[in-house]
Amino acid sequence: MAAAATCSTGTRSTGSMVVAASRNNVTSFQRRGPRTSGTDSGCSRLVSISGTRPSVRNGQLLVSTGLPALDQLLGGGLAVGTVLLIEEDKYNIYSPLLFKYFLAEGIVTGHTLLVASAKEDPADILQELPAPLLDDNCKKECDEDICNHKTESNVKMKIAWRYQLLPKIEARPVSSSRFGHYYDVSKRIPQELIEASKWHGFFLPEKISSTLNEDPCSLNHGYIKLLQFIQNIIYKEGFDGSNPQKKQKNILRIGIQNLGSPLWGDDICWTENCDSNCSLTKFLYMLRGLLRTSLSACIITVPTHLIQNKAIIARVTNLSDTVVGLESFIGSEKETNPLYKDYHGLIHIRQIPQLNNLICDVSDVKDLAFKLKRKLFTIEGTWVQALVRNY
Amino acid sequence: MLESLLALGGLVLLRDSVEWEGRSLLKALIKKSALCGEQVHILGCEVSEEEFREGFDSNINSRLVYHDLFRDPLNWSKTGEALPGGPLEALRALCRRTDPGPVTIALDSLSWLLLHLPCTTLCQTLHTLSRQDSCHGDSSPGEQVHVLGLLHEELHGPGPLGALSSLAQTEVTLSGALGQASAHILYRRPQQRPSHQTQWFSILPDFSLELQRGPPLESQPYPDPHTPSMDPTTHLTFNLRLSKKEREAKDSLTLPFQFSSEKQQALLCPGLGQPTSHIFYEPDAYDDLDQEDPDDDLDV
């Protein structure tokens, strides 16, 4: 910086035409802007999307799932363009929590959200998101900075006078610059954050008219509507690069709740041999195609414990990229097992994708359990408590 | 408690079987709702209207609105009495009803509806029925819709039972012993752990509910003290014990730092004149120490 400062002083004293040109710039070294039509600068532009970072292993762009512990187990985060499938636990208590963490992370980092559900209104789902834990010290300093900003702008610097002409950089710690935030489950997200965010909701009973007769061979009507809705949003808002975007690129976070349950009109949950056996699998295939060609990431929760045909579960797992299964101890014999007495359930990482890779990033840890404390959802290995007790 | 079954809104599933029938419990709950002043709509499919109304006194009978699907389910007689459109249309008409006030809808039996309608349609319609309170603006507790569904669990496979259970807010399974009926109630509150309870009861001839302590001579089902408690150290994927050879190998491992015996002695003996220190720790507002917070049960 010192070299640039002396350079600018030099140009000012010579009074060349560079001075006029660089009136708004501090230095005469001008950075060439990114070429609008060039795709080779695409990589550097992608990295600058808030809330994302490239994977350290293969350079894939990752977004956070909202739980830093889960990000670590998935190899850094969820890759953009992939599907995270959550196999619901039996009483559906913990999987909505992971779903909400994902959406809350989207709001905090400024991503666009698309929430689809057949059971609850998406507006109600958004009201129940957990509150982010921004440091209280940071917040206080932010407010003080805003107050002091006006008074300090007239103070002349005595020693560092060369820096006076530098544009004032906001020293506010921007929460979206970090990857992975912590949330307080016992509090609700502040209303102003929801209002400041951009979200689209798809509530099935409103979108579908119940008197329509469905053709059993083709895709389920509800799924078709959902796919059209997602495709519409992706196209309209330019997540697939179709409209040349003047504004900053952003990620679309899609959340679909309880896919495959009877409320979506799918009958895989109540019969083994059903006519529309491949509705869900076709939907997943088309959804993945949509995601791969756009800047989006998707979380889906499926009640696999209700699906009667085991072959469908296997197909659904193969068609998703990352699969995480939750198994809660409520009502099972594991509740009385002393090994598991500190935990609420087991978490199984069933599948991790191999994206542009020959090997996938399976972590070595196998016995993972989760626990929902009052404010936090934690994941740890079961050996931690066993060792503590035995030694 | 069995009385507060109707306190939470939503779908209440009554699962009965051949030995322990549930229609009397259904009628007892209907009677309770009617006495509370709620509107009661009944969709009767399995028994005739006269048989259903039997046992209720006249003031309760006057409050019940009975939709009869038993006499003419397929509308063959083409008179205006039967419900046109069949069961689905009847359910949808119930969804569209716009009278204000709390209402109880009793489905006489969900088994009959499951056999005549596709399960997905039934689930979607039930969901619309039980969500009605939020459609009418703010949902004060008095405006809730209670849907009581009688389900004969032996008629269906695990698929439909699982699908309907996941939709229900409360599930009551009837069983019993020694001539006493018991209800095992499972409450599924959203976002909270489900709680369950077993209640012994009996139904009096006028269909009022009487709670019992339990059958007198029956021993409570305690877990057998002779069964060994589960050993947590079996079936682990990691090794908790070292064999002798492994222990010797571990002891003979050279340590990465130099630790001579003099240094060890010096560290072990406490220095003279050092006061032993105590740490007094007071947890601060941000510490989350409690695992079981008693305030979690408060629905604030």
PDB file of all heavy atoms in Angstrom, chain A residues 91 93 119 263 265-266 269-270 308 335 367 371 374 383 390-391, chain B residues 92 119-120 124 127 159-160 162 188 193-194 230 237-238 240 291 293:
ATOM      1  N   TYR A  91     -41.095 -40.483  14.125  1.00  0.00           N
ATOM      2  CA  TYR A  91     -42.144 -39.557  14.541  1.00  0.00           C
ATOM      3  C   TYR A  91     -41.931 -38.171  13.974  1.00  0.00           C
ATOM      4  O   TYR A  91     -42.560 -37.224  14.399  1.00  0.00           O
ATOM      5  CB  TYR A  91     -42.222 -39.496  16.072  1.00  0.00           C
ATOM      6  CG  TYR A  91     -42.697 -40.801  16.654  1.00  0.00           C
ATOM      7  CD1 TYR A  91     -41.803 -41.684  17.228  1.00  0.00           C
ATOM      8  CD2 TYR A  91     -44.028 -41.159  16.587  1.00  0.00           C
ATOM      9  CE1 TYR A  91     -42.232 -42.893  17.726  1.00  0.00           C
ATOM     10  CE2 TYR A  91     -44.463 -42.366  17.087  1.00  0.00           C
ATOM     11  CZ  TYR A  91     -43.573 -43.223  17.660  1.00  0.00           C
ATOM     12  OH  TYR A  91     -43.990 -44.420  18.155  1.00  0.00           O
ATOM     13  N   ILE A  93     -39.601 -35.795  14.170  1.00  0.00           N
ATOM     14  CA  ILE A  93     -39.299 -34.708  15.098  1.00  0.00           C
ATOM     15  C   ILE A  93     -38.005 -34.032  14.694  1.00  0.00           C
ATOM     16  O   ILE A  93     -37.879 -32.809  14.749  1.00  0.00           O
ATOM     17  CB  ILE A  93     -39.132 -35.256  16.524  1.00  0.00           C
ATOM     18  CG1 ILE A  93     -40.369 -36.030  16.919  1.00  0.00           C
ATOM     19  CG2 ILE A  93     -38.898 -34.140  17.502  1.00  0.00           C
ATOM     20  CD1 ILE A  93     -40.175 -36.789  18.171  1.00  0.00           C
ATOM     21  N   LYS A 119     -47.949 -30.405   3.645  1.00  0.00           N
ATOM     22  CA  LYS A 119     -48.552 -30.505   4.973  1.00  0.00           C
ATOM     23  C   LYS A 119     -48.749 -29.139   5.615  1.00  0.00           C
ATOM     24  O   LYS A 119     -49.774 -28.854   6.186  1.00  0.00           O
ATOM     25  CB  LYS A 119     -47.608 -31.325   5.835  1.00  0.00           C
ATOM     26  CG  LYS A 119     -48.287 -32.033   6.956  1.00  0.00           C
ATOM     27  CD  LYS A 119     -47.293 -32.847   7.729  1.00  0.00           C
ATOM     28  CE  LYS A 119     -47.944 -34.043   8.366  1.00  0.00           C
ATOM     29  NZ  LYS A 119     -47.002 -34.779   9.179  1.00  0.00           N
ATOM     30  N   LEU A 263     -49.777 -37.321   1.320  1.00  0.00           N
ATOM     31  CA  LEU A 263     -50.291 -35.968   1.100  1.00  0.00           C
ATOM     32  C   LEU A 263     -49.840 -35.403  -0.230  1.00  0.00           C
ATOM     33  O   LEU A 263     -50.451 -34.472  -0.746  1.00  0.00           O
ATOM     34  CB  LEU A 263     -49.832 -35.045   2.232  1.00  0.00           C
ATOM     35  CG  LEU A 263     -50.489 -35.344   3.563  1.00  0.00           C
ATOM     36  CD1 LEU A 263     -49.908 -34.449   4.624  1.00  0.00           C
ATOM     37  CD2 LEU A 263     -51.976 -35.135   3.487  1.00  0.00           C
ATOM     38  N   GLY A 265     -49.962 -37.177  -2.816  1.00  0.00           N
ATOM     39  CA  GLY A 265     -50.696 -37.946  -3.803  1.00  0.00           C
ATOM     40  C   GLY A 265     -49.950 -39.183  -4.259  1.00  0.00           C
ATOM     41  O   GLY A 265     -50.315 -39.807  -5.239  1.00  0.00           O
ATOM     42  N   ASP A 266     -48.918 -39.552  -3.528  1.00  0.00           N
ATOM     43  CA  ASP A 266     -48.127 -40.694  -3.918  1.00  0.00           C
ATOM     44  C   ASP A 266     -48.528 -41.882  -3.069  1.00  0.00           C
ATOM     45  O   ASP A 266     -48.664 -41.744  -1.859  1.00  0.00           O
ATOM     46  CB  ASP A 266     -46.647 -40.358  -3.700  1.00  0.00           C
ATOM     47  CG  ASP A 266     -45.770 -41.230  -4.534  1.00  0.00           C
ATOM     48  OD1 ASP A 266     -46.245 -42.240  -5.073  1.00  0.00           O
ATOM     49  OD2 ASP A 266     -44.577 -40.900  -4.634  1.00  0.00           O
ATOM     50  N   CYS A 269     -46.390 -45.155   0.005  1.00  0.00           N
ATOM     51  CA  CYS A 269     -46.309 -45.343   1.440  1.00  0.00           C
ATOM     52  C   CYS A 269     -47.348 -46.298   1.963  1.00  0.00           C
ATOM     53  O   CYS A 269     -47.331 -46.649   3.123  1.00  0.00           O
ATOM     54  CB  CYS A 269     -46.471 -44.013   2.164  1.00  0.00           C
ATOM     55  SG  CYS A 269     -44.963 -43.083   2.174  1.00  0.00           S
ATOM     56  N   TRP A 270     -48.294 -46.694   1.142  1.00  0.00           N
ATOM     57  CA  TRP A 270     -49.300 -47.554   1.735  1.00  0.00           C
ATOM     58  C   TRP A 270     -49.479 -48.862   1.000  1.00  0.00           C
ATOM     59  O   TRP A 270     -50.161 -49.742   1.489  1.00  0.00           O
ATOM     60  CB  TRP A 270     -50.631 -46.818   1.861  1.00  0.00           C
ATOM     61  CG  TRP A 270     -51.235 -46.375   0.594  1.00  0.00           C
ATOM     62  CD1 TRP A 270     -50.897 -45.299  -0.152  1.00  0.00           C
ATOM     63  CD2 TRP A 270     -52.332 -46.979  -0.073  1.00  0.00           C
ATOM     64  NE1 TRP A 270     -51.712 -45.197  -1.234  1.00  0.00           N
ATOM     65  CE2 TRP A 270     -52.608 -46.219  -1.215  1.00  0.00           C
ATOM     66  CE3 TRP A 270     -53.114 -48.099   0.191  1.00  0.00           C
ATOM     67  CZ2 TRP A 270     -53.613 -46.531  -2.095  1.00  0.00           C
ATOM     68  CZ3 TRP A 270     -54.126 -48.417  -0.696  1.00  0.00           C
ATOM     69  CH2 TRP A 270     -54.353 -47.635  -1.831  1.00  0.00           C
ATOM     70  N   GLN A 308     -43.314 -49.008   1.640  1.00  0.00           N
ATOM     71  CA  GLN A 308     -43.499 -50.442   1.815  1.00  0.00           C
ATOM     72  C   GLN A 308     -42.566 -51.263   0.948  1.00  0.00           C
ATOM     73  O   GLN A 308     -42.145 -52.332   1.335  1.00  0.00           O
ATOM     74  CB  GLN A 308     -44.952 -50.818   1.477  1.00  0.00           C
ATOM     75  CG  GLN A 308     -45.963 -50.131   2.375  1.00  0.00           C
ATOM     76  CD  GLN A 308     -45.790 -50.546   3.802  1.00  0.00           C
ATOM     77  OE1 GLN A 308     -45.772 -51.718   4.125  1.00  0.00           O
ATOM     78  NE2 GLN A 308     -45.631 -49.578   4.672  1.00  0.00           N
ATOM     79  N   GLU A 335     -33.668 -47.407  23.259  1.00  0.00           N
ATOM     80  CA  GLU A 335     -33.831 -46.342  24.249  1.00  0.00           C
ATOM     81  C   GLU A 335     -33.268 -46.760  25.588  1.00  0.00           C
ATOM     82  O   GLU A 335     -32.813 -45.944  26.370  1.00  0.00           O
ATOM     83  CB  GLU A 335     -35.322 -46.040  24.401  1.00  0.00           C
ATOM     84  CG  GLU A 335     -35.613 -44.639  24.832  1.00  0.00           C
ATOM     85  CD  GLU A 335     -37.075 -44.293  24.690  1.00  0.00           C
ATOM     86  OE1 GLU A 335     -37.871 -45.173  24.343  1.00  0.00           O
ATOM     87  OE2 GLU A 335     -37.412 -43.132  24.929  1.00  0.00           O
ATOM     88  N   ASP A 367     -20.012 -44.566  13.933  1.00  0.00           N
ATOM     89  CA  ASP A 367     -21.080 -44.549  14.929  1.00  0.00           C
ATOM     90  C   ASP A 367     -21.362 -43.127  15.321  1.00  0.00           C
ATOM     91  O   ASP A 367     -20.743 -42.595  16.218  1.00  0.00           O
ATOM     92  CB  ASP A 367     -20.656 -45.298  16.196  1.00  0.00           C
ATOM     93  CG  ASP A 367     -20.263 -46.693  15.870  1.00  0.00           C
ATOM     94  OD1 ASP A 367     -21.054 -47.365  15.220  1.00  0.00           O
ATOM     95  OD2 ASP A 367     -19.162 -47.073  16.259  1.00  0.00           O
ATOM     96  N   LYS A 371     -28.008 -35.426  19.277  1.00  0.00           N
ATOM     97  CA  LYS A 371     -28.717 -35.083  20.502  1.00  0.00           C
ATOM     98  C   LYS A 371     -29.294 -33.688  20.322  1.00  0.00           C
ATOM     99  O   LYS A 371     -28.601 -32.791  19.871  1.00  0.00           O
ATOM    100  CB  LYS A 371     -27.719 -35.079  21.654  1.00  0.00           C
ATOM    101  CG  LYS A 371     -28.369 -34.721  22.932  1.00  0.00           C
ATOM    102  CD  LYS A 371     -27.438 -34.918  24.089  1.00  0.00           C
ATOM    103  CE  LYS A 371     -28.216 -34.540  25.328  1.00  0.00           C
ATOM    104  NZ  LYS A 371     -27.605 -34.835  26.509  1.00  0.00           N
ATOM    105  N   ARG A 374     -31.336 -28.070  24.384  1.00  0.00           N
ATOM    106  CA  ARG A 374     -32.381 -27.042  24.349  1.00  0.00           C
ATOM    107  C   ARG A 374     -32.137 -26.043  23.241  1.00  0.00           C
ATOM    108  O   ARG A 374     -33.050 -25.530  22.616  1.00  0.00           O
ATOM    109  CB  ARG A 374     -32.443 -26.336  25.687  1.00  0.00           C
ATOM    110  CG  ARG A 374     -33.779 -25.688  25.959  1.00  0.00           C
ATOM    111  CD  ARG A 374     -33.940 -25.480  27.417  1.00  0.00           C
ATOM    112  NE  ARG A 374     -32.931 -24.601  27.945  1.00  0.00           N
ATOM    113  CZ  ARG A 374     -33.100 -23.293  28.090  1.00  0.00           C
ATOM    114  NH1 ARG A 374     -34.222 -22.738  27.745  1.00  0.00           N
ATOM    115  NH2 ARG A 374     -32.134 -22.565  28.589  1.00  0.00           N
ATOM    116  N   TRP A 383     -18.650 -43.161  20.644  1.00  0.00           N
ATOM    117  CA  TRP A 383     -17.541 -43.607  21.487  1.00  0.00           C
ATOM    118  C   TRP A 383     -17.124 -42.555  22.512  1.00  0.00           C
ATOM    119  O   TRP A 383     -16.484 -42.864  23.487  1.00  0.00           O
ATOM    120  CB  TRP A 383     -16.333 -43.950  20.612  1.00  0.00           C
ATOM    121  CG  TRP A 383     -15.843 -42.778  19.859  1.00  0.00           C
ATOM    122  CD1 TRP A 383     -14.998 -41.810  20.296  1.00  0.00           C
ATOM    123  CD2 TRP A 383     -16.203 -42.416  18.537  1.00  0.00           C
ATOM    124  NE1 TRP A 383     -14.799 -40.882  19.331  1.00  0.00           N
ATOM    125  CE2 TRP A 383     -15.526 -41.222  18.227  1.00  0.00           C
ATOM    126  CE3 TRP A 383     -17.024 -42.974  17.569  1.00  0.00           C
ATOM    127  CZ2 TRP A 383     -15.657 -40.599  17.010  1.00  0.00           C
ATOM    128  CZ3 TRP A 383     -17.146 -42.352  16.365  1.00  0.00           C
ATOM    129  CH2 TRP A 383     -16.477 -41.173  16.094  1.00  0.00           C
ATOM    130  N   ASN A 390     -15.818 -45.173  30.664  1.00  0.00           N
ATOM    131  CA  ASN A 390     -14.991 -46.335  30.970  1.00  0.00           C
ATOM    132  C   ASN A 390     -13.645 -45.970  31.520  1.00  0.00           C
ATOM    133  O   ASN A 390     -13.002 -46.779  32.154  1.00  0.00           O
ATOM    134  CB  ASN A 390     -14.794 -47.180  29.713  1.00  0.00           C
ATOM    135  CG  ASN A 390     -15.929 -48.166  29.578  1.00  0.00           C
ATOM    136  OD1 ASN A 390     -16.325 -48.754  30.572  1.00  0.00           O
ATOM    137  ND2 ASN A 390     -16.454 -48.316  28.403  1.00  0.00           N
ATOM    138  N   TYR A 391     -13.181 -44.794  31.241  1.00  0.00           N
ATOM    139  CA  TYR A 391     -11.849 -44.432  31.731  1.00  0.00           C
ATOM    140  C   TYR A 391     -11.998 -43.305  32.718  1.00  0.00           C
ATOM    141  O   TYR A 391     -11.842 -42.175  32.437  1.00  0.00           O
ATOM    142  CB  TYR A 391     -10.956 -44.053  30.549  1.00  0.00           C
ATOM    143  CG  TYR A 391     -10.623 -45.281  29.742  1.00  0.00           C
ATOM    144  CD1 TYR A 391     -11.292 -45.533  28.549  1.00  0.00           C
ATOM    145  CD2 TYR A 391      -9.706 -46.203  30.192  1.00  0.00           C
ATOM    146  CE1 TYR A 391     -11.015 -46.669  27.827  1.00  0.00           C
ATOM    147  CE2 TYR A 391      -9.431 -47.342  29.472  1.00  0.00           C
ATOM    148  CZ  TYR A 391     -10.087 -47.579  28.280  1.00  0.00           C
ATOM    149  OH  TYR A 391      -9.828 -48.698  27.564  1.00  0.00           O
TER     150      TYR A 391
ATOM    151  N   ARG B  92     -65.865 -33.892   1.280  1.00  0.00           N
ATOM    152  CA  ARG B  92     -65.513 -32.559   0.779  1.00  0.00           C
ATOM    153  C   ARG B  92     -66.546 -31.527   1.197  1.00  0.00           C
ATOM    154  O   ARG B  92     -66.207 -30.374   1.453  1.00  0.00           O
ATOM    155  CB  ARG B  92     -65.411 -32.605  -0.738  1.00  0.00           C
ATOM    156  CG  ARG B  92     -64.194 -33.359  -1.162  1.00  0.00           C
ATOM    157  CD  ARG B  92     -63.721 -32.972  -2.514  1.00  0.00           C
ATOM    158  NE  ARG B  92     -62.534 -33.748  -2.813  1.00  0.00           N
ATOM    159  CZ  ARG B  92     -62.400 -34.521  -3.864  1.00  0.00           C
ATOM    160  NH1 ARG B  92     -63.376 -34.641  -4.724  1.00  0.00           N
ATOM    161  NH2 ARG B  92     -61.276 -35.185  -4.068  1.00  0.00           N
ATOM    162  N   CYS B 119     -56.223 -44.387  -0.820  1.00  0.00           N
ATOM    163  CA  CYS B 119     -55.662 -43.916   0.455  1.00  0.00           C
ATOM    164  C   CYS B 119     -55.143 -42.497   0.351  1.00  0.00           C
ATOM    165  O   CYS B 119     -55.274 -41.707   1.271  1.00  0.00           O
ATOM    166  CB  CYS B 119     -54.548 -44.860   0.896  1.00  0.00           C
ATOM    167  SG  CYS B 119     -53.845 -44.461   2.486  1.00  0.00           S
ATOM    168  N   THR B 120     -54.550 -42.160  -0.796  1.00  0.00           N
ATOM    169  CA  THR B 120     -53.977 -40.820  -0.900  1.00  0.00           C
ATOM    170  C   THR B 120     -55.064 -39.764  -0.866  1.00  0.00           C
ATOM    171  O   THR B 120     -54.918 -38.726  -0.210  1.00  0.00           O
ATOM    172  CB  THR B 120     -53.180 -40.684  -2.198  1.00  0.00           C
ATOM    173  OG1 THR B 120     -53.985 -41.172  -3.266  1.00  0.00           O
ATOM    174  CG2 THR B 120     -51.928 -41.493  -2.128  1.00  0.00           C
ATOM    175  N   GLN B 124     -55.393 -36.865   1.954  1.00  0.00           N
ATOM    176  CA  GLN B 124     -55.402 -35.443   1.622  1.00  0.00           C
ATOM    177  C   GLN B 124     -56.668 -34.774   2.150  1.00  0.00           C
ATOM    178  O   GLN B 124     -56.628 -33.654   2.659  1.00  0.00           O
ATOM    179  CB  GLN B 124     -55.302 -35.258   0.102  1.00  0.00           C
ATOM    180  CG  GLN B 124     -53.900 -35.451  -0.395  1.00  0.00           C
ATOM    181  CD  GLN B 124     -53.820 -35.550  -1.897  1.00  0.00           C
ATOM    182  OE1 GLN B 124     -54.770 -35.947  -2.562  1.00  0.00           O
ATOM    183  NE2 GLN B 124     -52.682 -35.194  -2.433  1.00  0.00           N
ATOM    184  N   HIS B 127     -56.465 -34.360   5.848  1.00  0.00           N
ATOM    185  CA  HIS B 127     -55.556 -33.277   6.185  1.00  0.00           C
ATOM    186  C   HIS B 127     -56.252 -31.936   6.014  1.00  0.00           C
ATOM    187  O   HIS B 127     -56.108 -31.038   6.855  1.00  0.00           O
ATOM    188  CB  HIS B 127     -54.336 -33.368   5.277  1.00  0.00           C
ATOM    189  CG  HIS B 127     -53.314 -32.329   5.552  1.00  0.00           C
ATOM    190  ND1 HIS B 127     -52.630 -32.249   6.740  1.00  0.00           N
ATOM    191  CD2 HIS B 127     -52.858 -31.314   4.804  1.00  0.00           C
ATOM    192  CE1 HIS B 127     -51.808 -31.237   6.700  1.00  0.00           C
ATOM    193  NE2 HIS B 127     -51.919 -30.650   5.534  1.00  0.00           N
ATOM    194  N   GLY B 159     -49.057 -50.592   5.753  1.00  0.00           N
ATOM    195  CA  GLY B 159     -48.931 -49.388   4.941  1.00  0.00           C
ATOM    196  C   GLY B 159     -49.974 -48.336   5.269  1.00  0.00           C
ATOM    197  O   GLY B 159     -49.638 -47.231   5.699  1.00  0.00           O
ATOM    198  N   PRO B 160     -51.264 -48.665   5.076  1.00  0.00           N
ATOM    199  CA  PRO B 160     -52.270 -47.645   5.394  1.00  0.00           C
ATOM    200  C   PRO B 160     -52.262 -47.242   6.855  1.00  0.00           C
ATOM    201  O   PRO B 160     -52.486 -46.077   7.184  1.00  0.00           O
ATOM    202  CB  PRO B 160     -53.592 -48.338   5.037  1.00  0.00           C
ATOM    203  CG  PRO B 160     -53.233 -49.410   4.115  1.00  0.00           C
ATOM    204  CD  PRO B 160     -51.860 -49.837   4.448  1.00  0.00           C
ATOM    205  N   GLY B 162     -49.682 -47.083   8.857  1.00  0.00           N
ATOM    206  CA  GLY B 162     -48.572 -46.158   9.054  1.00  0.00           C
ATOM    207  C   GLY B 162     -48.873 -44.794   8.476  1.00  0.00           C
ATOM    208  O   GLY B 162     -48.568 -43.762   9.086  1.00  0.00           O
ATOM    209  N   ARG B 188     -48.897 -36.988  19.505  1.00  0.00           N
ATOM    210  CA  ARG B 188     -47.784 -36.529  18.679  1.00  0.00           C
ATOM    211  C   ARG B 188     -47.921 -35.032  18.546  1.00  0.00           C
ATOM    212  O   ARG B 188     -48.611 -34.541  17.669  1.00  0.00           O
ATOM    213  CB  ARG B 188     -47.920 -37.096  17.275  1.00  0.00           C
ATOM    214  CG  ARG B 188     -47.661 -38.544  17.205  1.00  0.00           C
ATOM    215  CD  ARG B 188     -48.109 -39.023  15.866  1.00  0.00           C
ATOM    216  NE  ARG B 188     -47.354 -40.173  15.490  1.00  0.00           N
ATOM    217  CZ  ARG B 188     -46.764 -40.347  14.340  1.00  0.00           C
ATOM    218  NH1 ARG B 188     -46.884 -39.456  13.439  1.00  0.00           N
ATOM    219  NH2 ARG B 188     -46.084 -41.422  14.092  1.00  0.00           N
ATOM    220  N   ARG B 193     -41.254 -34.410  21.442  1.00  0.00           N
ATOM    221  CA  ARG B 193     -41.241 -35.860  21.560  1.00  0.00           C
ATOM    222  C   ARG B 193     -42.656 -36.354  21.839  1.00  0.00           C
ATOM    223  O   ARG B 193     -43.380 -35.766  22.617  1.00  0.00           O
ATOM    224  CB  ARG B 193     -40.348 -36.280  22.728  1.00  0.00           C
ATOM    225  CG  ARG B 193     -38.909 -36.005  22.510  1.00  0.00           C
ATOM    226  CD  ARG B 193     -38.187 -36.176  23.814  1.00  0.00           C
ATOM    227  NE  ARG B 193     -38.257 -37.542  24.279  1.00  0.00           N
ATOM    228  CZ  ARG B 193     -37.327 -38.458  23.999  1.00  0.00           C
ATOM    229  NH1 ARG B 193     -36.310 -38.153  23.253  1.00  0.00           N
ATOM    230  NH2 ARG B 193     -37.446 -39.690  24.459  1.00  0.00           N
ATOM    231  N   PRO B 194     -43.049 -37.459  21.208  1.00  0.00           N
ATOM    232  CA  PRO B 194     -44.392 -37.959  21.479  1.00  0.00           C
ATOM    233  C   PRO B 194     -44.472 -38.520  22.897  1.00  0.00           C
ATOM    234  O   PRO B 194     -43.530 -39.134  23.384  1.00  0.00           O
ATOM    235  CB  PRO B 194     -44.563 -39.066  20.442  1.00  0.00           C
ATOM    236  CG  PRO B 194     -43.203 -39.463  20.064  1.00  0.00           C
ATOM    237  CD  PRO B 194     -42.333 -38.274  20.243  1.00  0.00           C
ATOM    238  N   MET B 230     -28.821 -54.791  29.158  1.00  0.00           N
ATOM    239  CA  MET B 230     -28.007 -54.862  27.948  1.00  0.00           C
ATOM    240  C   MET B 230     -26.593 -54.406  28.223  1.00  0.00           C
ATOM    241  O   MET B 230     -26.367 -53.365  28.799  1.00  0.00           O
ATOM    242  CB  MET B 230     -28.642 -53.943  26.922  1.00  0.00           C
ATOM    243  CG  MET B 230     -28.843 -54.589  25.622  1.00  0.00           C
ATOM    244  SD  MET B 230     -30.005 -53.631  24.715  1.00  0.00           S
ATOM    245  CE  MET B 230     -29.471 -53.945  23.121  1.00  0.00           C
ATOM    246  N   THR B 237     -17.909 -51.177  17.412  1.00  0.00           N
ATOM    247  CA  THR B 237     -16.977 -51.215  16.289  1.00  0.00           C
ATOM    248  C   THR B 237     -15.581 -50.773  16.694  1.00  0.00           C
ATOM    249  O   THR B 237     -14.706 -50.654  15.872  1.00  0.00           O
ATOM    250  CB  THR B 237     -17.462 -50.281  15.175  1.00  0.00           C
ATOM    251  OG1 THR B 237     -17.590 -48.983  15.726  1.00  0.00           O
ATOM    252  CG2 THR B 237     -18.791 -50.740  14.620  1.00  0.00           C
ATOM    253  N   PHE B 238     -15.372 -50.462  17.965  1.00  0.00           N
ATOM    254  CA  PHE B 238     -14.031 -50.083  18.391  1.00  0.00           C
ATOM    255  C   PHE B 238     -13.671 -50.932  19.600  1.00  0.00           C
ATOM    256  O   PHE B 238     -14.511 -51.567  20.217  1.00  0.00           O
ATOM    257  CB  PHE B 238     -13.973 -48.587  18.736  1.00  0.00           C
ATOM    258  CG  PHE B 238     -15.105 -48.127  19.598  1.00  0.00           C
ATOM    259  CD1 PHE B 238     -15.024 -48.188  20.985  1.00  0.00           C
ATOM    260  CD2 PHE B 238     -16.268 -47.638  19.036  1.00  0.00           C
ATOM    261  CE1 PHE B 238     -16.066 -47.762  21.776  1.00  0.00           C
ATOM    262  CE2 PHE B 238     -17.308 -47.215  19.824  1.00  0.00           C
ATOM    263  CZ  PHE B 238     -17.216 -47.277  21.194  1.00  0.00           C
ATOM    264  N   LEU B 240     -12.439 -51.696  23.308  1.00  0.00           N
ATOM    265  CA  LEU B 240     -12.372 -51.045  24.609  1.00  0.00           C
ATOM    266  C   LEU B 240     -11.331 -51.667  25.523  1.00  0.00           C
ATOM    267  O   LEU B 240     -10.942 -51.071  26.485  1.00  0.00           O
ATOM    268  CB  LEU B 240     -13.731 -51.142  25.314  1.00  0.00           C
ATOM    269  CG  LEU B 240     -14.699 -49.985  25.067  1.00  0.00           C
ATOM    270  CD1 LEU B 240     -15.946 -50.202  25.885  1.00  0.00           C
ATOM    271  CD2 LEU B 240     -14.066 -48.671  25.436  1.00  0.00           C
ATOM    272  N   GLN B 291     -29.522 -30.883  30.937  1.00  0.00           N
ATOM    273  CA  GLN B 291     -29.918 -31.736  29.819  1.00  0.00           C
ATOM    274  C   GLN B 291     -31.420 -31.839  29.730  1.00  0.00           C
ATOM    275  O   GLN B 291     -31.978 -31.852  28.669  1.00  0.00           O
ATOM    276  CB  GLN B 291     -29.337 -33.143  29.977  1.00  0.00           C
ATOM    277  CG  GLN B 291     -27.946 -33.273  29.414  1.00  0.00           C
ATOM    278  CD  GLN B 291     -26.925 -32.756  30.362  1.00  0.00           C
ATOM    279  OE1 GLN B 291     -27.102 -32.885  31.560  1.00  0.00           O
ATOM    280  NE2 GLN B 291     -25.865 -32.170  29.860  1.00  0.00           N
ATOM    281  N   ASP B 293     -34.530 -29.968  30.630  1.00  0.00           N
ATOM    282  CA  ASP B 293     -35.053 -28.718  31.137  1.00  0.00           C
ATOM    283  C   ASP B 293     -36.503 -28.917  31.546  1.00  0.00           C
ATOM    284  O   ASP B 293     -37.333 -29.270  30.719  1.00  0.00           O
ATOM    285  CB  ASP B 293     -34.962 -27.674  30.033  1.00  0.00           C
ATOM    286  CG  ASP B 293     -35.266 -26.294  30.556  1.00  0.00           C
ATOM    287  OD1 ASP B 293     -35.215 -26.115  31.783  1.00  0.00           O
ATOM    288  OD2 ASP B 293     -35.543 -25.422  29.737  1.00  0.00           O
TER     289      ASP B 293
END
